[in-house]
Coordinates of all heavy atoms in Angstrom, one line a residue:
M236 N 8.2 10.6 20.6 CA 8.1 10.7 22.0 C 7.1 11.8 22.4 O 7.2 12.9 21.9 CB 9.5 11.1 22.6 CG 9.5 11.2 24.1 SD 11.1 11.4 24.8 CE 11.3 13.2 24.6
N237 N 6.2 11.4 23.3 CA 5.2 12.4 23.7 C 5.8 13.2 24.9 O 5.9 12.7 26.0 CB 4.0 11.7 24.2 CG 2.9 12.7 24.7 OD1 3.1 13.9 24.7 ND2 1.8 12.2 25.1
K238 N 6.3 14.4 24.6 CA 7.0 15.2 25.7 C 6.1 15.6 26.8 O 6.6 15.8 27.9 CB 7.5 16.5 25.0 CG 8.7 16.1 24.2 CD 9.4 17.4 23.8 CE 10.7 17.1 23.1 NZ 11.5 18.3 22.7
E239 N 4.8 15.5 26.6 CA 3.9 15.9 27.7 C 3.6 14.8 28.7 O 3.1 15.0 29.7 CB 2.5 16.4 27.1 CG 2.6 17.5 26.1 CD 3.2 18.8 26.8 OE1 2.7 19.1 27.8 OE2 4.1 19.4 26.2
K240 N 4.0 13.6 28.3 CA 3.8 12.4 29.1 C 4.5 12.5 30.5 O 5.8 12.7 30.5 CB 4.2 11.1 28.4 CG 3.9 9.9 29.1 CD 3.1 8.9 28.2 CE 2.9 7.6 28.8 NZ 2.1 7.5 29.9
V241 N 3.7 12.4 31.5 CA 4.4 12.5 32.9 C 5.0 11.1 33.1 O 4.4 10.1 33.1 CB 3.3 12.8 33.9 CG1 3.9 12.7 35.3 CG2 2.7 14.2 33.7
I242 N 6.3 11.2 33.5 CA 7.0 9.9 33.8 C 7.2 9.8 35.3 O 7.3 8.7 35.8 CB 8.3 9.9 33.0 CG1 9.0 8.6 32.9 CG2 9.3 11.0 33.6 CD1 10.1 8.4 31.9
C243 N 7.2 10.8 36.0 CA 7.3 10.8 37.5 C 6.1 11.6 38.1 O 6.0 12.8 38.0 CB 8.6 11.4 38.0 SG 8.7 11.6 39.8
K244 N 5.1 10.8 38.6 CA 3.9 11.4 39.1 C 4.2 12.3 40.3 O 3.5 13.3 40.6 CB 2.9 10.3 39.5 CG 2.1 9.8 38.3 CD 1.1 8.9 38.7 CE 0.5 8.2 37.5 NZ 0.0 6.9 37.8
C245 N 5.0 11.8 41.2 CA 5.3 12.5 42.4 C 5.7 14.0 42.2 O 5.3 14.9 42.9 CB 6.3 11.8 43.3 SG 5.8 10.2 43.8
Y246 N 6.6 14.2 41.2 CA 7.1 15.6 41.0 C 6.6 16.1 39.7 O 7.1 17.1 39.2 CB 8.6 15.6 41.0 CG 9.1 15.4 42.4 CD1 9.6 14.2 42.9 CD2 9.1 16.5 43.3 CE1 10.1 14.0 44.2 CE2 9.6 16.3 44.6 CZ 10.0 15.1 45.1 OH 10.5 14.9 46.3
H247 N 5.7 15.4 39.0 CA 5.1 15.8 37.8 C 6.2 16.1 36.8 O 6.3 17.2 36.1 CB 4.2 17.1 37.9 CG 3.3 17.2 36.8 ND1 2.0 16.5 36.8 CD2 3.4 17.8 35.6 CE1 1.4 16.8 35.7 NE2 2.2 17.6 34.9
V248 N 7.1 15.1 36.6 CA 8.2 15.3 35.7 C 7.8 14.6 34.4 O 7.3 13.5 34.3 CB 9.5 14.6 36.2 CG1 10.6 14.7 35.2 CG2 9.9 15.2 37.5
T249 N 7.9 15.3 33.3 CA 7.5 14.8 32.0 C 8.7 14.2 31.2 O 9.8 14.5 31.6 CB 6.8 15.9 31.1 OG1 7.8 16.9 30.8 CG2 5.6 16.5 31.8
K250 N 8.4 13.5 30.1 CA 9.4 13.0 29.3 C 10.3 14.2 28.7 O 11.5 14.1 28.6 CB 8.9 12.2 28.2 CG 8.4 10.8 28.6 CD 8.0 10.0 27.4 CE 7.8 8.5 27.8 NZ 7.5 7.7 26.7
G251 N 9.6 15.3 28.4 CA 10.2 16.4 27.9 C 11.2 17.0 28.9 O 12.3 17.5 28.6
D252 N 10.8 17.0 30.2 CA 11.8 17.4 31.3 C 13.0 16.6 31.3 O 14.1 17.2 31.5 CB 11.0 17.4 32.6 CG 9.9 18.3 32.8 OD1 9.9 19.4 32.1 OD2 8.9 18.0 33.5
V253 N 12.9 15.3 31.1 CA 14.0 14.4 31.1 C 14.9 14.8 29.9 O 16.1 14.8 30.0 CB 13.6 12.9 31.2 CG1 14.8 12.0 31.1 CG2 12.9 12.6 32.4
A254 N 14.2 15.0 28.8 CA 15.0 15.3 27.6 C 15.8 16.6 27.8 O 16.9 16.7 27.4 CB 14.1 15.4 26.4
E255 N 15.1 17.6 28.4 CA 15.8 18.8 28.7 C 17.0 18.6 29.5 O 18.1 19.2 29.3 CB 14.8 19.8 29.4 CG 13.7 20.3 28.6 CD 14.3 21.4 27.6 OE1 15.0 22.3 28.1 OE2 14.0 21.3 26.4
A256 N 16.9 17.8 30.6 CA 18.0 17.6 31.5 C 19.1 16.9 30.8 O 20.3 17.3 31.0 CB 17.5 16.7 32.7
V257 N 18.8 16.0 29.9 CA 19.9 15.3 29.1 C 20.6 16.3 28.2 O 21.8 16.4 28.0 CB 19.3 14.1 28.3 CG1 20.4 13.6 27.3 CG2 18.9 13.0 29.2
K258 N 19.7 17.2 27.6 CA 20.3 18.2 26.7 C 21.2 19.2 27.5 O 22.2 19.6 27.0 CB 19.1 19.0 26.2 CG 19.1 19.1 24.6 CD 18.2 20.1 24.1 CE 17.2 19.6 23.1 NZ 16.1 20.4 22.9
A259 N 20.8 19.4 28.7 CA 21.6 20.3 29.6 C 22.9 19.7 30.1 O 23.6 20.3 30.9 CB 20.7 20.8 30.7
G260 N 23.1 18.4 29.8 CA 24.3 17.7 30.2 C 24.2 16.5 31.1 O 25.2 15.9 31.4
A261 N 23.0 16.2 31.5 CA 22.8 15.0 32.3 C 23.2 13.7 31.5 O 22.7 13.6 30.3 CB 21.4 14.9 32.8
S262 N 24.0 12.8 32.0 CA 24.4 11.7 31.2 C 24.0 10.4 31.9 O 24.3 9.3 31.4 CB 25.9 11.7 31.0 OG 26.6 11.8 32.2
C263 N 23.4 10.5 33.0 CA 22.9 9.2 33.7 C 21.7 9.5 34.5 O 21.4 10.7 34.7 CB 24.0 8.6 34.5 SG 24.6 9.7 35.8
Y264 N 21.1 8.4 35.1 CA 19.9 8.6 35.9 C 20.1 9.5 37.1 O 19.3 10.4 37.4 CB 19.4 7.2 36.3 CG 18.4 7.3 37.4 CD1 17.1 7.9 37.2 CD2 18.7 6.9 38.7 CE1 16.2 8.0 38.1 CE2 17.7 7.1 39.7 CZ 16.5 7.6 39.4 OH 15.6 7.7 40.4
K265 N 21.3 9.4 37.7 CA 21.6 10.2 38.9 C 21.6 11.7 38.5 O 21.1 12.5 39.3 CB 23.0 9.8 39.3 CG 23.1 9.4 40.8 CD 24.4 8.9 41.1 CE 25.0 9.5 42.3 NZ 26.4 9.2 42.5
D266 N 22.1 12.1 37.4 CA 22.1 13.5 36.9 C 20.7 13.9 36.7 O 20.3 15.1 37.1 CB 22.9 13.7 35.6 CG 24.4 13.4 35.8 OD1 24.8 13.4 37.0 OD2 25.1 13.2 34.8
V267 N 19.9 13.1 36.0 CA 18.5 13.4 35.7 C 17.7 13.6 37.1 O 16.9 14.6 37.2 CB 17.9 12.4 34.8 CG1 16.4 12.6 34.7 CG2 18.5 12.4 33.5
K268 N 18.0 12.8 38.0 CA 17.3 12.8 39.3 C 17.7 14.1 40.0 O 16.8 14.8 40.5 CB 17.8 11.6 40.1 CG 17.1 11.5 41.4 CD 17.5 10.2 42.1 CE 17.3 10.2 43.6 NZ 17.9 9.0 44.2
K269 N 18.9 14.5 39.9 CA 19.3 15.7 40.5 C 18.6 16.9 39.8 O 18.2 17.9 40.5 CB 20.8 15.9 40.3 CG 21.6 16.1 41.6 CD 23.0 16.5 41.3 CE 24.0 15.9 42.2 NZ 25.3 16.1 41.7
A270 N 18.5 16.9 38.5 CA 18.0 18.0 37.8 C 16.5 18.1 37.8 O 15.9 19.2 37.9 CB 18.5 17.9 36.3
T271 N 15.8 17.0 37.9 CA 14.3 17.0 37.8 C 13.6 16.5 39.0 O 12.4 16.7 39.2 CB 13.8 16.1 36.6 OG1 14.2 14.7 37.0 CG2 14.5 16.5 35.3
K272 N 14.3 15.9 39.9 CA 13.8 15.3 41.2 C 13.1 14.0 40.9 O 12.5 13.4 41.8 CB 12.8 16.2 41.9 CG 13.4 17.4 42.5 CD 12.4 18.0 43.4 CE 12.9 19.3 44.0 NZ 11.7 20.1 44.4
A273 N 13.0 13.6 39.6 CA 12.3 12.3 39.3 C 12.9 11.1 40.1 O 14.1 11.0 40.0 CB 12.4 12.0 37.8
G274 N 12.1 10.4 40.8 CA 12.6 9.3 41.6 C 12.9 9.6 43.0 O 13.3 8.7 43.8
K275 N 12.8 10.8 43.4 CA 13.2 11.2 44.8 C 12.1 10.9 45.8 O 12.4 10.9 47.0 CB 13.5 12.7 44.8 CG 14.9 13.0 44.5 CD 15.3 14.4 44.9 CE 16.8 14.6 44.9 NZ 17.1 16.0 45.2
A276 N 10.9 10.7 45.4 CA 9.9 10.3 46.4 C 9.6 8.9 46.5 O 10.3 8.2 47.2 CB 8.6 11.2 46.1
C277 N 8.6 8.4 45.8 CA 8.2 7.0 45.9 C 9.2 6.0 45.2 O 9.3 4.9 45.6 CB 6.8 6.7 45.4 SG 6.7 6.7 43.7
G278 N 9.8 6.5 44.2 CA 10.8 5.7 43.5 C 10.2 4.7 42.5 O 10.9 4.0 41.8
K279 N 8.9 4.8 42.3 CA 8.3 3.9 41.4 C 8.6 4.2 39.9 O 8.5 3.3 39.0 CB 6.8 4.0 41.5 CG 6.2 3.1 42.5 CD 4.7 3.1 42.5 CE 4.2 2.4 43.8 NZ 2.8 2.9 44.0
C280 N 9.0 5.4 39.6 CA 9.3 5.8 38.2 C 10.8 5.5 37.9 O 11.2 5.7 36.7 CB 9.1 7.3 38.1 SG 10.1 8.3 39.2
K281 N 11.6 5.1 38.8 CA 13.0 4.9 38.7 C 13.4 4.2 37.4 O 14.2 4.6 36.6 CB 13.5 4.2 39.9 CG 14.9 4.7 40.3 CD 15.2 4.1 41.7 CE 16.6 4.0 42.0 NZ 16.9 3.5 43.3
K282 N 12.8 3.0 37.2 CA 13.0 2.2 36.1 C 12.8 2.9 34.8 O 13.5 2.8 33.8 CB 12.2 0.9 36.1 CG 13.0 -0.3 36.5 CD 12.2 -1.5 36.3 CE 13.0 -2.8 36.7 NZ 12.1 -3.9 36.7
R283 N 11.6 3.5 34.8 CA 11.1 4.3 33.5 C 12.1 5.4 33.2 O 12.5 5.6 32.1 CB 9.8 4.9 33.7 CG 8.7 3.9 33.7 CD 7.3 4.6 33.5 NE 7.0 5.5 34.6 CZ 6.3 5.2 35.6 NH1 5.9 4.0 35.8 NH2 6.1 6.1 36.6
V284 N 12.5 6.1 34.2 CA 13.4 7.3 34.0 C 14.8 6.8 33.6 O 15.3 7.4 32.7 CB 13.5 8.2 35.3 CG1 14.4 9.3 35.1 CG2 12.1 8.7 35.7
K285 N 15.2 5.8 34.2 CA 16.5 5.2 33.8 C 16.5 4.8 32.4 O 17.5 5.1 31.6 CB 16.8 3.9 34.7 CG 17.7 4.2 35.8 CD 18.1 2.9 36.5 CE 18.9 3.2 37.7 NZ 19.1 2.0 38.6
K286 N 15.5 4.1 32.0 CA 15.4 3.6 30.6 C 15.4 4.7 29.6 O 16.1 4.7 28.6 CB 14.1 2.7 30.5 CG 14.2 1.6 29.6 CD 13.0 0.7 29.7 CE 12.7 0.1 28.4 NZ 11.4 -0.5 28.3
L287 N 14.5 5.7 29.9 CA 14.4 6.9 29.0 C 15.7 7.7 28.9 O 16.2 8.1 27.9 CB 13.3 7.8 29.5 CG 13.1 9.1 28.7 CD1 12.7 8.7 27.3 CD2 12.1 10.0 29.3
T288 N 16.4 7.8 30.1 CA 17.7 8.5 30.1 C 18.7 7.8 29.2 O 19.3 8.5 28.4 CB 18.2 8.6 31.5 OG1 17.2 9.2 32.3 CG2 19.5 9.4 31.6
K289 N 18.8 6.5 29.4 CA 19.7 5.7 28.6 C 19.5 6.0 27.1 O 20.4 6.2 26.3 CB 19.5 4.3 28.9 CG 20.7 3.7 29.7 CD 20.6 2.2 29.7 CE 21.6 1.6 30.7 NZ 21.3 0.3 31.0
K290 N 18.2 5.9 26.7 CA 17.8 6.0 25.3 C 18.2 7.4 24.8 O 18.7 7.6 23.7 CB 16.2 5.8 25.3 CG 15.8 5.3 23.9 CD 14.3 5.0 24.0 CE 13.6 5.8 23.0 NZ 12.1 5.7 23.2
L291 N 17.9 8.4 25.6 CA 18.2 9.8 25.2 C 19.7 10.1 25.1 O 20.1 10.7 24.2 CB 17.5 10.8 26.2 CG 16.0 10.8 26.1 CD1 15.5 11.6 27.3 CD2 15.5 11.5 24.8
V292 N 20.4 9.5 26.0 CA 21.9 9.8 26.0 C 22.5 9.1 24.8 O 23.3 9.7 24.1 CB 22.5 9.2 27.3 CG1 24.0 9.2 27.2 CG2 22.0 10.1 28.5
K293 N 22.0 7.9 24.5 CA 22.5 7.1 23.3 C 22.2 7.9 22.0 O 23.1 7.9 21.1 CB 21.8 5.8 23.3 CG 22.7 4.7 23.7 CD 22.0 3.4 23.3 CE 22.7 2.2 23.9 NZ 21.9 1.0 23.7
G294 N 21.1 8.5 22.0 CA 20.6 9.2 20.8 C 21.2 10.6 20.6 O 20.9 11.3 19.6
K295 N 22.0 11.0 21.5 CA 22.5 12.4 21.5 C 23.5 12.6 20.4 O 24.2 11.8 20.0 CB 23.3 12.6 22.8 CG 22.8 13.8 23.6 CD 23.6 13.9 24.9 CE 23.4 15.2 25.5 NZ 24.2 15.4 26.7
Ligands
LIG302 S1 6.7 8.6 40.5 FE1 8.7 9.4 40.6 S2 9.2 9.5 42.7 FE2 7.2 8.8 42.7

């Protein structure tokens, strides 16, 4: 996983940020959204963030 890859352009949230949020206890998209703001603006990244969150939570 490229941690530097921006997954949410509106808030400049990277894949690494999402991974951090999951590490810190986020277990679903809603938690990640709260922690990183990903998806709070245009919402275009929602699907991507959801998918990545699921993957990361599974791999925990
Ligand atoms: S790209 Fe994430 S809210 Fe716009």
Side-chain angles (χ1 to χ4, degrees):
M236 178 174 85
N237 179 2
K238 286 191 172 182
E239 304 296 315
K240 181 130 175 66
V241 173
I242 196 163
C243 172
K244 277 186 191 151
C245 296
Y246 288 102
H247 202 87
V248 178
T249 63
K250 283 189 171 181
D252 293 330
V253 175
E255 285 288 310
V257 170
K258 236 193 231 167
S262 59
C263 62
Y264 167 67
K265 239 174 127 188
D266 293 344
V267 171
K268 187 173 160 188
K269 239 194 215 165
T271 65
K272 289 194 186 158
K275 269 194 169 178
C277 75
K279 272 186 193 159
C280 60
K281 218 167 155 179
K282 254 191 180 168
R283 285 197 300 269
V284 177
K285 259 189 190 170
K286 216 172 147 192
L287 177 63
T288 303
K289 251 193 194 164
K290 207 172 120 191
L291 290 167
V292 170
K293 256 191 189 172
K295 238 180 164 180

